[in-house]
Amino acid sequence: MCGIIGYVGAKNSVPFLIEGLKKLEYRGYDSAGLAVIEKDGVRRIRAVGKVAELEKAALLAHPQGCCGIGHTRWATHGKPSEENSHPHTDCSGEIVVVHNGIIENFLALKEKLLTLGHKFQSETDTEVIAHLIEENLKHVRAATDEERLFRAVMRTSNELQGAFAYGVLWSHTPQQIIGVKNQSPLVVGIGKGETFLASDVPAFLKYTNKALFLEDGQTVVLTPQSAQVYGMDGKEAKVKPTKISWDQKTAEKGGYAHFMLKEIYDQPQALEDTLRTARADFARILGLKTEDLRKIKKVYLVACGTAYHAALVGKYYLENFAGVTASVDLASEFKYRTIPPSKDTLCIAISQSGETADTLGAVKKAKDLGFKRLAICNVLGSGLTRACNSVFYTHCGPEISVASTKAFTSQIVSLYALAIFLGHASGNISQSVFNKLYKELMAVPKAVAETLNIEYDVRHLTRKVYKAPRFIFLGRNVDFPIALEGALKLKEISYSCAEGFAAGEIKHGPISVIDKGTPVVVLMPKNHLFDKMLSACQECRARGAFVVAVTTPDGKAEAATVTDKQIVVPQASEYLQPVLDVVALQFFAYWVAKRLGRDIDQPRNLAKSVTVE
């Protein structure tokens, strides 16, 4: 999410900043801004909307300075507005900060700074960084201003909690930019007599292909002639430059062939960022009191497309952990069917964009029925977030590919978090059970990172099946919605005929479409339904199907006796296994589509956000 660009050299920095921000527009944003150090101090320009609006404002203001930073903002704290746009400053206006990520302890830091007399101008978590550096500058001593700023930034970073990357300017050091990386991307471009700081390579690739990729916990000090990297201990770290061989278009995708593939690989970080929110008091996040959570007896989940499949998974979570009756509706159907009024009812609306017309219509109906409304959404300030009483944000950053991947898995973990917190609040699950479930949930990002290692196996497998006219996906229990999602993903980007079924249903009709060579992908982790899935495999194989098992290490050997190919994913708890299983199906859809030569990121007839009925 967001985009950072910094320049220090011999030329006016503004054209470099504007051009760099344009190269980062693919990341998604709602506002943009820049700041440069002029002879009389810092000059800051910000605008809501596209970089073109910022460019117009900069042409009118005509700032001049050889050291500057810019930013495109994807709102996480505070609505999209000029006041909340980056860069942010301290009380004096001499320190300027741009930042990506989330400062988890910003409220505590802000309260501390307010008591010290600091005055804030925005709703963002970022602004605390500028004020904290200002405060720390009062307490560090050094021979030069450059060294003072470095020490103040190091002290500041040690006080911050969360995932962040930020860049700093100070009017007293007009030939220096400092950058800090911690779990958010930050890269340095090394030119001739000029140096760049950016969140991604495309921002400076036109001017240099020599890059330093920072590691977590590292701080970099940029001048026109150098980029010195330091570890958390303050000691200089030797980082070898990398020569970038990508072209501009490939660079925007981080070296991946398509945004979809990049976003599959983004999932561990997207899940980690989303779950940070679940580490605080959940009732406070949702804007609901604990006693209100206890009163909820019925839940309606409404969504469309991929989000609908996440809702189907959420139904299992809510009924199992929270002990509430849950009903799942396609938003387009919910709007027009008769819904009996009921007390103590919560409507959960799920949408990546928050602008899906059918989902907005369903929420309006829920409001008319007097239901409480919760949005699970990725875009702050969207129509859905404004139409609901409370919001749980998935922190995925922009999802560029039409086919949703990281938003889907983030929606699933959000629903899991909601279900266990509801269950704990209502007394349906004990403290010890909650602690166990919570620990398992927090381990998911690492497990998904391990699951990404299966890409080669899936890629190799698709060579055998990509030309098939029909594909079948089977799952049971909480993996049944994942079978539906696997079929949808394949249809979306390969244009192949694909269907998902509950495995127990194939003998009630669907088995008639299985004939010799039909690829059947069976989700069968080693759990209490494993034997049932073995039987389903045998039934399909008896009709000549090419059967592929997505299983776990303990199930591979047995699955091999009734399937033609096995894809092995890590073992997770029963209700979190779908988050890992779906990664295999995302890779499967991607590689079938790639072998067929499809337009993967922008498949025919589809739009990322469906804003009409």
Side-chain angles (χ1 to χ4, degrees), residues 459-595:
R459 175 182 176 179
H460 183 72
L461 158 67
T462 57
R463 294 172 58 187
K464 300 178 181 293
V465 299
Y466 75 98
K467 292 182 179 179
R470 182 188 303 112
F471 295 80
I472 303 296
F473 294 81
L474 302 179
R476 291 198 78 149
N477 197 35
V478 75
D479 260 330
F480 166 46
I482 304 305
L484 298 177
E485 173 61 12
L488 176 63
K489 209 55 55 201
L490 188 62
K491 280 184 280 194
E492 284 179 322
I493 63 171
S494 75
Y495 320 147
S496 301
C497 179
E499 293 185 89
F501 298 106
E505 284 295 298
I506 59 168
K507 54 186 173 290
H508 297 291
I511 203 166
S512 65
V513 302
I514 297 175
D515 53 22
K516 186 174 175 58
T518 301
V520 178
V521 181
V522 184
L523 300 169
M524 48 188 304
K526 190 66 183 289
N527 58 27
H528 68 286
L529 289 169
F530 185 73
D531 290 343
K532 300 291 186 185
M533 300 308 292
L534 290 173
S535 298
C537 292
Q538 289 171 323
E539 290 176 340
C540 296
R541 217 176 184 198
R543 274 76 182 174
F546 183 85
V547 182
V548 178
V550 177
T551 189
T552 46
D554 288 351
K556 181 182 179 182
E558 205 167 350
T561 64
V562 293
T563 62
D564 298 283
K565 182 68 178 177
Q566 304 80 46
I567 300 298
V568 181
V569 300
Q571 181 82 51
S573 66
E574 178 183 359
Y575 286 95
L576 289 171
Q577 191 66 46
V579 185
L580 310 187
D581 292 345
V582 77
V583 175
L585 305 191
Q586 292 169 348
F587 279 136
F588 186 85
Y590 175 83
W591 278 102
V592 169
K594 186 172 175 64
R595 293 189 188 284

Side-chain angles (χ1 to χ4, degrees), residues 42-156:
V42 172
R43 186 84 171 275
R44 184 170 55 139
I45 303 169
R46 300 179 292 175
V48 176
K50 298 297 181 183
V51 172
E53 299 302 316
L54 175 67
E55 187 174 20
K56 291 176 188 175
L59 285 171
L60 290 172
H62 197 57
Q64 296 281 322
C66 296
C67 183
I69 52 178
H71 189 270
T72 51
R73 178 179 186 248
W74 174 273
T76 56
H77 291 76
K79 63 184 181 294
S81 67
E82 187 172 322
E83 293 77 14
N84 289 330
S85 302
H86 297 216
H88 290 287
T89 68
D90 67 328
C91 295
S92 69
E94 295 179 344
I95 297 167
V96 184
V97 171
V98 293
H99 158 242
N100 290 348
I102 299 170
I103 306 300
E104 293 178 6
N105 61 333
F106 91 98
L107 284 174
L109 292 173
K110 186 173 183 177
E111 289 174 7
K112 168 189 166 185
L113 290 162
L114 285 169
T115 62
L116 293 171
H118 290 262
K119 299 186 184 301
F120 286 77
Q121 304 299 320
S122 76
E123 304 170 274
T124 69
D125 56 340
T126 301
E127 194 180 347
V128 300
I129 303 174
H131 289 281
L132 204 53
I133 293 171
E134 178 188 18
E135 189 64 31
N136 284 327
L137 274 169
K138 300 173 184 176
H139 306 289
V140 296
R141 298 288 179 268
T144 65
D145 283 334
E146 287 78 9
E147 181 65 20
R148 277 187 68 209
L149 180 61
F150 173 74
R151 292 184 183 182
V153 168
M154 292 292 286
R155 286 182 64 162
T156 296

